[in-house]
Amino acid sequence: MQRRTFLAASSAAAALSHPLLAKAAMPIKGPPVARATDFSFTLHGTVVKDPYKWLKDEGYPKVDDAEVLAYLNAENAWFEQEMKPQSMLVEALFEQMKARIKEDDASVPYPDGDWAYFNRFDPAMKGGSQYRNWYRMPRNGGPETLILSEPALADGKKYFRLGAFAVSPDARLLAYSMDDDGSERFKLIVRDLGTGKDIVTIASNSLGQPAWSSDGKSLLWVEASEQWRPFRVRRHVLGGATGNDPTLYEEKDSSFFVGLDLSQDRRWFLVSAADHVTSEIRLIPAGDPGATPLVVSPRKTGREYAVDVRGDTLFIRTNDTHRNFRVATASIANPGEWADLIPGSDRHYIRGITAFASYLAITERLDGLDQIRLRMPDNSDRYVKLPEASYTVSLSTNAEADAPLLRLSYSSMVTPTTVYDYDVAKDALVTRKVQEIPSGYNAADYATERLMARARDGVMVPVSVVYKKGYRKDGSQPLHVYGYGAYGLAVPPSFSTSVLSLLDRGFAYAIAHIRGGDDLGYQWYLDGKLMKRTNTFNDFVDVTRFLNSQGFSREGRNSASGGSAGGSLMGAIVNSDPGLWRAIAAHVPFVDVLNTMLDTSLPLTPIEWPEWGNPKTDEAAFRTILSYSPYDNLKRQAYPAMLVTAGLNDPRVTYWEPAKWVARLRATKTDRNPLLLKTNMGAGHGGKSGRFERLRETAEEYAFILAQFDTAR
């Protein structure tokens, strides 16, 4: 089909003439109007219209279609113009948020062999306020040495992200990786820590963390295909040629992704192949990388398992007998014969295991609350005692085979991030660092609650709320609700310095722990996926209405935000309950669900079918997805004010999903509320890089939301 100009004949056309649209000399009189086509297709006897299909550049991941780029640039120009009246508010918010961040913040050093490693922001260095420097010093004290400078690597680049950071067992070499365009295709490099010089670039298409052999002479790494699918583990022998590293494992099933890890004792490489419901692990001796991989247990559809190793014993976390997982053991000699160590439980949701030399550390949730359980050699259990009733806690960096001082990361909605060392022998927490807020913060000025909201099907849904004391629960003050609800990923009730900017302006901030996450166990996840996907959307609406009934704001005075799969949530709730919201922020939103799940050329589509369903072959999945896919369910109705973001190089939610959604929404909605699309032309799924650039984008989001409430009294 021959493509016409992307703009409909309108007064906007002249103002946004390509190629000067991003720097239009005259004010833009109206938003871009994308042309609509009559494209459609028929599947399972149903005609599906896709009028903005042309916004997908057929050459993706290279995007050079002039019409597509012109449209995205026009939207960016409209965004800049419409946000200009809020520029002072954006700057004020940014400066507030920045003032809460310690300029020279540093991590707590973690021990590894003869050294202790840490990172620090060094504002005096060019770019040092945005990116970290990485250091090490002798374990028992001595001068620090700079071993990697992110500011130097990022200099001159619009985007930078450090990926891998792996020091060789003899501490002579560092393998690191970096992404400089947001595409998540990482260049893998080895540096000599003695000279500080890079000695070899192994690959430009690596993903994940590489792993060193025991002698430090080989590096295993995961290769990404042209479709951005991690599918192969390769071995590079230092000193050998690059570009032809031998393959140790290759996954033939395009619906499975490959991962690589080391056991806690570093004696075994763990090579995983998994989709969202099935996994399979192979062991390769770290002392003999060329050995034939040992399959722990062949894959069985619907069974997940993860492995760690201590001596000749495997510790296995698996859901084979209980949906909340159990811990089993097996021997290296008979890895498929599993014996119960910790049975599955309806209350205890086992989320992870780490086999330290003197105990087993288990991360779990008990009635929805994070716990750290230690299983001691005598099979007794001990739980780490934590100071608050509602919080989030996780294992931090514990690099060595044993951890007599177990490093933990802790926070709550009113408690800044705290690094603890748990002294196992003394059963006591040692505070190593409390997040410093230079501009000042008093936890006593804020209050947090954990409530239970009844969903329309009777299920009780947790919600965590924080607000500044004095918040009036009479419906007069605004409420912001955040949610995700997918992939079994819970949103923890953790501390955010940025959220303070909303709280201090009279908002309450809530996290809806909706189905689709695993907040209340694995069944909570199952109840929000596939054919039960709409539970996620209903939960979010019902939580918001419950909070309104409790005096937290009122209909039309709520705002909400979510990203990626949480952006799909935003798209669904504005279709179903548009009048509930005053403002919505949807970041890199997964809103073209049906078309994406039909597009097998995309790297994530086959692996996503267990999460969303395969509409190509399963008519029930097709009809379920079609019933909620935000792009396919837009209506002739009024919508709230909406800010939408995208990343041109995003491999997870491709740029055309938000672009198509906004284009169709503009042509469908009946209101005059703002609808803005901002596409980061040099970034990916996470937006801009650099800690302060990311803060500025948060300031833009909050300014957009606050501007809507200024006129909503």
Side-chain angles (χ1 to χ4, degrees), residues 407-694:
R407 181 68 51 84
L408 305 176
S409 178
Y410 173 95
S411 77
S412 76
M413 294 190 82
V414 296
T415 302
T417 301
T418 302
V419 177
Y420 288 120
D421 278 347
Y422 174 69
D423 189 320
V424 177
K426 296 179 180 178
D427 187 20
L429 288 172
V430 179
T431 302
R432 297 298 309 275
K433 178 185 176 183
V434 178
Q435 180 183 0
E436 184 179 334
I437 302 175
S439 62
Y441 171 74
N442 183 0
D445 292 340
Y446 302 87
T448 184
E449 299 181 42
R450 186 174 176 88
L451 307 171
M452 299 298 288
R454 186 179 299 277
R456 63 196 66 181
D457 61 358
V459 171
M460 302 304 291
V461 181
V463 54
S464 300
V465 191
V466 63
Y467 49 87
K468 194 167 187 176
K469 289 180 179 177
Y471 182 92
R472 298 182 304 278
K473 297 181 185 178
D474 59 4
S476 65
Q477 292 189 238
L479 168 69
H480 186 84
V481 189
Y482 178 82
Y484 185 72
Y487 300 108
L489 298 176
V491 180
S494 56
F495 185 76
S496 168
T497 57
S498 297
V499 166
L500 295 175
S501 291
L502 290 179
L503 305 186
D504 291 347
R505 286 170 170 80
F507 276 72
Y509 183 93
I511 298 171
H513 303 288
I514 51 183
R515 282 173 281 186
D518 67 352
D519 307 67
L520 295 185
Y522 199 74
Q523 188 63 47
W524 201 248
Y525 164 48
L526 297 178
D527 286 342
K529 65 182 292 192
L530 295 173
M531 307 302 285
K532 298 180 179 180
R533 181 64 186 152
T534 54
N535 283 339
T536 300
F537 316 138
N538 294 340
D539 284 357
F540 193 86
V541 169
D542 295 344
V543 163
T544 304
R545 293 196 183 280
F546 165 78
L547 290 173
N548 289 174
S549 75
Q550 300 300 300
F552 292 96
S553 198
R554 64 180 186 269
E555 181 162 344
R557 290 275 293 161
N558 306 295
S559 62
S561 63
S564 196
S568 176
L569 169 66
M570 295 299 103
I573 64 170
V574 295
N575 281 339
S576 67
D577 294 84
L580 188 57
W581 319 99
R582 181 68 188 120
I584 295 287
H587 298 293
V588 290
F590 178 39
V591 284
D592 194 15
V593 183
L594 180 62
N595 285 308
T596 293
M597 288 298 97
L598 289 170
D599 189 350
T600 54
S601 71
L602 297 175
L604 286 176
T605 292
I607 198 175
E608 297 287 354
W609 285 333
E611 178 76 18
W612 308 93
N614 182 353
K616 293 176 72 73
T617 60
D618 184 343
E619 182 175 350
F622 167 81
R623 301 210 177 279
T624 298
I625 294 172
L626 183 60
S627 74
Y628 69 74
S629 177
Y631 174 70
D632 297 291
N633 285 277
L634 293 168
K635 305 171 186 176
R636 293 289 296 173
Q637 63 183 11
Y639 282 85
M642 297 176 64
L643 170 64
V644 183
T645 65
L648 189 68
N649 300 326
D650 189 346
R652 298 175 185 267
V653 176
T654 49
Y655 75 87
W656 61 81
E657 290 206 36
K660 288 170 61 177
W661 183 47
V662 168
R664 197 171 195 175
L665 183 55
R666 278 231 172 85
T668 306
K669 72 191 191 88
T670 60
D671 61 88
R672 301 184 67 180
N673 292 325
L675 173 60
L676 304 181
L677 170 64
K678 177 187 178 181
T679 302
N680 283 311
M681 304 301 281
H685 199 63
K688 290 184 178 180
S689 61
R691 59 175 176 165
F692 294 136
E693 284 302 309
R694 288 194 295 270

Side-chain angles (χ1 to χ4, degrees), residues 45-247:
T46 299
V47 176
V48 180
K49 296 181 179 180
D50 187 5
Y52 300 98
K53 181 180 184 296
W54 65 269
L55 280 167
K56 175 188 175 182
D57 191 323
E58 295 303 323
Y60 182 82
K62 185 177 182 181
V63 183
D64 57 7
D65 184 296
E67 186 183 13
V68 169
L69 291 173
Y71 174 72
L72 297 178
N73 284 323
E75 288 284 3
N76 281 348
W78 180 247
F79 168 85
E80 294 293 339
Q81 176 177 291
E82 293 302 288
M83 286 296 293
K84 192 171 183 180
Q86 312 307 326
S87 58
M88 292 182 65
L89 178 56
V90 170
E91 194 62 28
L93 286 163
F94 172 71
E95 291 299 332
Q96 281 183 353
M97 294 175 186
K98 185 177 178 182
R100 299 187 190 112
I101 305 298
K102 188 178 181 183
E103 287 267 358
D104 58 349
D105 198 20
S107 66
V108 179
Y110 67 86
D112 188 6
D114 294 332
W115 301 90
Y117 296 83
F118 65 100
N119 60 67
R120 184 176 66 225
F121 291 94
D122 294 315
M125 176 180 288
K126 181 181 179 182
S129 292
Q130 295 274 22
Y131 300 100
R132 297 174 173 88
N133 283 318
W134 293 77
Y135 297 89
R136 71 178 179 183
M137 58 187 179
R139 180 181 187 130
N140 296 317
E144 63 185 40
T145 303
L146 175 66
I147 58 176
L148 188 72
S149 171
E150 289 186 34
L153 294 172
D155 188 32
K157 298 180 174 66
K158 292 182 178 180
Y159 180 95
F160 173 83
R161 177 183 168 193
L162 182 69
F165 183 93
V167 178
S168 63
D170 59 11
R172 293 190 310 106
L173 302 172
L174 168 69
Y176 72 94
S177 68
M178 64 182 204
D179 169 17
D180 59 10
D181 64 6
S183 66
E184 299 185 49
R185 289 168 170 83
F186 289 84
K187 182 184 296 183
L188 179 60
I189 302 163
V190 175
R191 171 169 293 191
D192 185 323
L193 293 179
T195 65
K197 303 295 184 182
D198 294 338
I199 58 175
V200 62
T201 297
I202 293 175
S204 59
N205 59 339
S206 75
L207 276 176
Q209 188 84 349
W212 289 98
S213 62
S214 298
D215 61 9
K217 295 180 179 179
S218 296
L219 187 71
L220 272 61
W221 59 281
V222 177
E223 180 182 5
S225 68
E226 291 183 3
Q227 292 77 33
W228 190 75
R229 183 174 70 89
F231 76 113
R232 187 156 56 190
V233 175
R234 306 186 75 170
R235 176 193 180 191
H236 180 78
V237 178
L238 291 203
T242 60
N244 195 31
D245 290 346
T247 297

Side-chain angles (χ1 to χ4, degrees), residues 233-281:
V233 175
R234 306 186 75 170
R235 176 193 180 191
H236 180 78
V237 178
L238 291 203
T242 60
N244 195 31
D245 290 346
T247 297
L248 302 187
Y249 175 73
E250 181 173 341
E251 177 57 49
K252 303 297 185 181
D253 187 337
S254 63
S255 67
F256 277 63
F257 278 17
V258 170
L260 175 66
D261 203 352
L262 274 171
S263 60
Q264 186 65 28
D265 63 9
R266 299 184 185 175
R267 292 178 54 237
W268 296 91
F269 296 113
L270 309 174
V271 177
S272 63
D275 61 10
H276 291 297
V277 297
T278 303
S279 54
E280 180 180 71
I281 295 176

